[in-house]
Amino acid sequence: MLSFIEAYQKELEQEAVQTRKMLAIVPADKMDWQPHPKSMTIKALATHLAEIPIMITIAIKQDKWDFAGSPYNPADYSTATALVARFDECLSEAQEALANASDDILQKEWVMCDGDVIYGEFEKWEAIRHAFGQNAHHRAQLGVFLRLLDIPIPGPYGPSADEMQAAYA
């Protein structure tokens, strides 16, 4: 039977394949595009997606992520190659953190805050699950952005409509 940590490692690796595929097709000439003024730009969204594994690393290694003391400052990546490289870097750190963790830490409290402003109070296992949820959410959001630009997208858990169309063309 797998430990929870081992299950997280397996899920992280499986989801990474899909996330890498999406980041690899982000068009450099559309980085400033956004579907609505209230939406992120593709660059901001793709960068956030590439850096989501940071949350797993911090959830395992620290008891809180306080943006007041450790602000999240996303880097500036202007190509798909740079986004994938950043994702692989963040992924590697998360994989290492998981490899050095054990299930006994998972019920420890973890807080995401900005000084006195609390964004969330979780047990560490919940923070890790939250990171997986964020990955799926933002990867799907990026898929919609790319679809709106008529860029064929890969299917995460089976062929996408674009892949099906290509198979029968």
Side-chain angles (χ1 to χ4, degrees), residues 117-162:
V117 178
I118 306 293
Y119 296 126
E121 296 179 272
F122 311 96
E123 289 185 356
K124 288 180 180 249
W125 74 267
E126 292 173 298
I128 295 167
R129 291 292 330 138
H130 184 76
F132 282 124
Q134 287 289 299
N135 178 69
H137 165 74
H138 290 301
R139 191 173 66 214
Q141 192 177 18
L142 180 59
V144 171
F145 282 32
L146 295 172
R147 173 76 75 219
L148 290 170
L149 291 170
D150 204 27
I151 295 169
I153 59 172
Y157 308 113
S160 71
D162 297 309

Coordinates of all heavy atoms in Angstrom, one line a residue, residues 117-162:
V117 N -3.2 39.0 7.8 CA -4.3 38.6 6.9 C -4.1 37.1 6.6 O -3.1 36.8 6.0 CB -4.3 39.5 5.7 CG1 -5.4 39.0 4.7 CG2 -4.5 40.9 6.0
I118 N -5.0 36.3 7.1 CA -5.0 34.9 6.8 C -5.8 34.5 5.6 O -6.9 34.8 5.5 CB -5.6 34.1 8.0 CG1 -4.9 34.5 9.3 CG2 -5.5 32.6 7.8 CD1 -3.5 34.1 9.5
Y119 N -5.1 33.9 4.6 CA -5.7 33.5 3.4 C -6.3 32.0 3.5 O -7.3 31.7 2.9 CB -4.8 33.5 2.2 CG -4.3 34.9 1.8 CD1 -3.0 35.2 1.7 CD2 -5.3 35.9 1.6 CE1 -2.6 36.5 1.4 CE2 -4.8 37.2 1.2 CZ -3.5 37.5 1.2 OH -3.1 38.7 0.8
G120 N -5.6 31.3 4.3 CA -6.0 29.9 4.5 C -5.3 29.2 5.6 O -4.1 29.5 5.8
E121 N -6.0 28.4 6.4 CA -5.4 27.6 7.4 C -5.7 26.2 7.1 O -6.9 25.8 6.9 CB -5.9 28.0 8.8 CG -5.6 29.4 9.2 CD -6.1 29.7 10.6 OE1 -7.3 30.2 10.6 OE2 -5.5 29.5 11.6
F122 N -4.7 25.4 6.9 CA -4.8 24.0 6.4 C -3.9 23.1 7.3 O -3.0 23.5 7.9 CB -4.4 23.8 5.0 CG -4.9 24.8 4.0 CD1 -4.1 26.0 3.6 CD2 -6.1 24.6 3.3 CE1 -4.6 26.9 2.7 CE2 -6.5 25.5 2.4 CZ -5.8 26.6 2.1
E123 N -4.2 21.8 7.1 CA -3.2 20.8 7.5 C -2.3 20.7 6.3 O -2.8 21.0 5.2 CB -3.8 19.5 7.9 CG -4.6 19.6 9.3 CD -5.1 18.3 9.8 OE1 -5.0 17.2 9.1 OE2 -5.6 18.3 10.9
K124 N -1.1 20.3 6.5 CA -0.2 20.2 5.3 C -0.7 19.3 4.2 O -0.5 19.7 3.0 CB 1.2 19.7 5.8 CG 2.0 20.8 6.6 CD 3.3 20.3 7.0 CE 4.0 21.3 7.8 NZ 5.2 21.9 7.1
W125 N -1.4 18.2 4.5 CA -1.9 17.4 3.4 C -2.9 18.2 2.6 O -3.0 18.0 1.4 CB -2.5 16.1 4.0 CG -3.8 16.3 4.7 CD1 -4.0 16.4 6.0 CD2 -5.1 16.2 4.1 NE1 -5.4 16.5 6.3 CE2 -6.1 16.4 5.1 CE3 -5.6 16.1 2.8 CZ2 -7.5 16.5 4.9 CZ3 -7.0 16.2 2.5 CH2 -7.9 16.3 3.6
E126 N -3.7 19.1 3.3 CA -4.7 19.9 2.6 C -4.0 20.9 1.7 O -4.5 21.2 0.6 CB -5.6 20.6 3.5 CG -6.5 19.7 4.3 CD -7.3 20.4 5.4 OE1 -6.6 20.9 6.3 OE2 -8.5 20.4 5.3
A127 N -2.9 21.5 2.1 CA -2.2 22.5 1.3 C -1.6 21.8 0.1 O -1.6 22.4 -1.0 CB -1.0 23.1 2.2
I128 N -1.1 20.6 0.2 CA -0.6 19.8 -1.0 C -1.8 19.6 -1.9 O -1.7 19.8 -3.2 CB 0.1 18.6 -0.5 CG1 1.3 18.9 0.3 CG2 0.4 17.7 -1.8 CD1 1.9 17.7 1.0
R129 N -2.9 19.1 -1.4 CA -4.1 18.9 -2.3 C -4.5 20.2 -2.9 O -4.9 20.2 -4.1 CB -5.3 18.3 -1.5 CG -5.1 16.9 -1.0 CD -5.0 15.8 -2.0 NE -5.8 16.0 -3.2 CZ -5.3 15.7 -4.4 NH1 -4.2 15.2 -4.6 NH2 -6.1 16.0 -5.5
H130 N -4.5 21.3 -2.2 CA -4.8 22.6 -2.7 C -3.9 22.9 -3.9 O -4.4 23.5 -4.9 CB -4.7 23.7 -1.6 CG -5.2 25.0 -2.1 ND1 -6.5 25.4 -2.2 CD2 -4.5 26.1 -2.4 CE1 -6.6 26.6 -2.6 NE2 -5.4 27.1 -2.8
A131 N -2.6 22.6 -3.8 CA -1.7 22.9 -4.9 C -2.1 22.1 -6.1 O -2.1 22.6 -7.3 CB -0.3 22.6 -4.5
F132 N -2.5 20.8 -5.9 CA -2.9 20.0 -7.1 C -4.2 20.6 -7.7 O -4.3 20.6 -8.9 CB -3.2 18.6 -6.6 CG -1.9 17.7 -6.5 CD1 -1.7 17.1 -5.3 CD2 -1.0 17.6 -7.5 CE1 -0.5 16.3 -5.1 CE2 0.1 16.8 -7.3 CZ 0.4 16.2 -6.1
G133 N -5.1 21.1 -6.9 CA -6.3 21.7 -7.4 C -6.0 23.0 -8.2 O -6.6 23.2 -9.2
Q134 N -5.1 23.7 -7.7 CA -4.7 25.0 -8.4 C -4.0 24.6 -9.7 O -4.3 25.3 -10.7 CB -3.7 25.7 -7.5 CG -4.3 26.5 -6.3 CD -5.1 27.6 -6.8 OE1 -4.6 28.6 -7.4 NE2 -6.4 27.6 -6.5
N135 N -3.2 23.6 -9.8 CA -2.6 23.1 -11.0 C -3.7 22.8 -12.1 O -3.7 23.3 -13.2 CB -1.7 21.9 -10.8 CG -1.1 21.4 -12.1 OD1 -0.2 22.1 -12.7 ND2 -1.5 20.3 -12.5
A136 N -4.7 22.0 -11.7 CA -5.7 21.6 -12.6 C -6.5 22.8 -13.1 O -6.8 22.9 -14.2 CB -6.6 20.5 -12.0
H137 N -6.9 23.6 -12.1 CA -7.7 24.8 -12.4 C -7.0 25.7 -13.4 O -7.5 26.1 -14.4 CB -8.0 25.6 -11.1 CG -8.5 27.0 -11.3 ND1 -9.8 27.2 -11.8 CD2 -7.9 28.2 -11.1 CE1 -9.9 28.5 -11.9 NE2 -8.8 29.1 -11.5
H138 N -5.7 26.1 -13.1 CA -5.0 27.1 -13.9 C -4.6 26.4 -15.3 O -4.5 27.1 -16.3 CB -3.8 27.7 -13.2 CG -4.3 28.6 -12.1 ND1 -5.1 29.7 -12.4 CD2 -4.1 28.6 -10.8 CE1 -5.3 30.3 -11.2 NE2 -4.8 29.7 -10.2
R139 N -4.3 25.1 -15.3 CA -4.0 24.5 -16.6 C -5.2 24.5 -17.5 O -5.1 24.8 -18.7 CB -3.6 23.0 -16.3 CG -3.0 22.4 -17.5 CD -2.4 21.0 -17.2 NE -3.4 20.1 -16.8 CZ -3.3 19.1 -15.9 NH1 -2.1 19.0 -15.3 NH2 -4.2 18.3 -15.6
A140 N -6.4 24.3 -16.9 CA -7.7 24.3 -17.7 C -7.9 25.8 -18.2 O -8.3 26.0 -19.3 CB -8.8 23.8 -16.9
Q141 N -7.7 26.7 -17.3 CA -7.8 28.1 -17.6 C -6.9 28.5 -18.8 O -7.3 29.2 -19.8 CB -7.5 29.0 -16.4 CG -7.9 30.4 -16.5 CD -7.6 31.1 -15.2 OE1 -6.8 30.7 -14.3 NE2 -8.2 32.3 -15.0
L142 N -5.7 28.0 -18.8 CA -4.7 28.3 -19.9 C -5.3 27.6 -21.1 O -5.1 28.2 -22.2 CB -3.3 27.8 -19.5 CG -2.3 28.0 -20.6 CD1 -2.1 29.4 -20.9 CD2 -0.9 27.4 -20.1
G143 N -5.8 26.4 -21.0 CA -6.4 25.8 -22.2 C -7.5 26.6 -22.8 O -7.6 26.7 -24.1
V144 N -8.3 27.3 -22.0 CA -9.4 28.1 -22.6 C -8.7 29.3 -23.3 O -9.2 29.7 -24.4 CB -10.4 28.6 -21.5 CG1 -11.3 29.7 -22.0 CG2 -11.2 27.4 -20.9
F145 N -7.7 29.9 -22.6 CA -7.1 31.1 -23.3 C -6.5 30.7 -24.6 O -6.7 31.4 -25.6 CB -5.9 31.6 -22.4 CG -6.3 32.4 -21.2 CD1 -7.5 32.3 -20.5 CD2 -5.4 33.4 -20.7 CE1 -7.8 33.0 -19.4 CE2 -5.7 34.2 -19.6 CZ -6.9 34.0 -19.0
L146 N -5.8 29.5 -24.7 CA -5.2 29.1 -25.9 C -6.3 28.7 -27.0 O -6.2 29.0 -28.1 CB -4.3 27.9 -25.7 CG -3.1 28.2 -24.8 CD1 -2.4 26.9 -24.5 CD2 -2.2 29.2 -25.5
R147 N -7.4 28.1 -26.5 CA -8.5 27.8 -27.4 C -9.1 29.1 -28.0 O -9.4 29.1 -29.2 CB -9.6 27.0 -26.6 CG -10.8 26.8 -27.4 CD -10.7 25.7 -28.4 NE -10.7 24.4 -27.8 CZ -10.0 23.4 -28.1 NH1 -9.2 23.5 -29.2 NH2 -10.0 22.2 -27.5
L148 N -9.2 30.1 -27.2 CA -9.7 31.4 -27.7 C -8.8 32.0 -28.8 O -9.2 32.8 -29.6 CB -9.9 32.4 -26.6 CG -11.1 32.1 -25.7 CD1 -11.1 33.0 -24.4 CD2 -12.4 32.2 -26.4
L149 N -7.5 31.6 -28.7 CA -6.6 32.1 -29.7 C -6.4 31.1 -30.9 O -5.6 31.3 -31.8 CB -5.2 32.3 -29.1 CG -5.1 33.5 -28.1 CD1 -3.8 33.5 -27.4 CD2 -5.3 34.8 -28.9
D150 N -7.3 30.1 -30.9 CA -7.3 29.1 -31.9 C -6.0 28.3 -32.0 O -5.6 27.9 -33.1 CB -7.7 29.7 -33.3 CG -8.3 28.6 -34.2 OD1 -8.9 27.6 -33.7 OD2 -8.1 28.8 -35.5
I151 N -5.4 28.1 -30.8 CA -4.2 27.2 -30.7 C -4.7 25.8 -30.3 O -5.3 25.7 -29.3 CB -3.2 27.8 -29.7 CG1 -2.8 29.2 -30.2 CG2 -2.1 26.9 -29.5 CD1 -2.0 30.0 -29.2
P152 N -4.4 24.8 -31.1 CA -4.7 23.4 -30.7 C -4.1 23.1 -29.3 O -2.9 23.3 -29.1 CB -4.2 22.6 -31.8 CG -4.0 23.5 -33.0 CD -3.6 24.8 -32.4
I153 N -4.9 22.5 -28.5 CA -4.5 22.1 -27.2 C -4.5 20.6 -27.0 O -5.3 19.9 -27.6 CB -5.3 22.8 -26.1 CG1 -6.8 22.4 -26.2 CG2 -5.2 24.3 -26.1 CD1 -7.6 22.8 -25.0
P154 N -3.6 20.1 -26.2 CA -3.5 18.7 -25.9 C -4.6 18.3 -24.8 O -4.9 19.1 -24.0 CB -2.1 18.5 -25.3 CG -1.8 19.8 -24.7 CD -2.4 20.8 -25.5
G155 N -5.1 17.1 -24.9 CA -6.0 16.6 -23.9 C -5.2 16.1 -22.7 O -4.2 15.4 -22.8
P156 N -5.7 16.4 -21.5 CA -4.9 16.0 -20.3 C -5.1 14.6 -19.9 O -4.2 13.9 -19.5 CB -5.4 16.9 -19.2 CG -6.8 17.3 -19.7 CD -6.8 17.3 -21.2
Y157 N -6.3 14.0 -20.2 CA -6.6 12.7 -19.7 C -7.1 11.8 -20.8 O -7.8 10.8 -20.6 CB -7.6 12.7 -18.5 CG -7.1 13.6 -17.4 CD1 -7.8 14.8 -17.1 CD2 -5.9 13.3 -16.7 CE1 -7.3 15.6 -16.1 CE2 -5.5 14.2 -15.7 CZ -6.2 15.3 -15.4 OH -5.8 16.2 -14.5
G158 N -6.9 12.2 -22.0 CA -7.4 11.5 -23.2 C -7.3 12.6 -24.4 O -6.9 13.7 -24.1
P159 N -7.6 12.2 -25.6 CA -7.4 13.1 -26.7 C -8.3 14.3 -26.6 O -9.5 14.2 -26.2 CB -7.7 12.3 -27.9 CG -8.2 11.0 -27.5 CD -8.1 10.9 -26.0
S160 N -7.8 15.5 -26.9 CA -8.6 16.7 -27.0 C -9.4 16.7 -28.3 O -9.1 15.9 -29.2 CB -7.8 18.0 -26.9 OG -7.0 18.1 -28.1
A161 N -10.3 17.6 -28.5 CA -11.0 17.7 -29.7 C -10.1 18.0 -30.9 O -10.2 17.5 -32.0 CB -12.1 18.9 -29.6
D162 N -9.0 18.8 -30.6 CA -8.0 19.1 -31.6 C -7.3 17.8 -32.0 O -7.0 17.6 -33.2 CB -7.0 20.1 -31.1 CG -7.6 21.4 -30.8 OD1 -8.3 22.0 -31.7 OD2 -7.4 21.9 -29.7

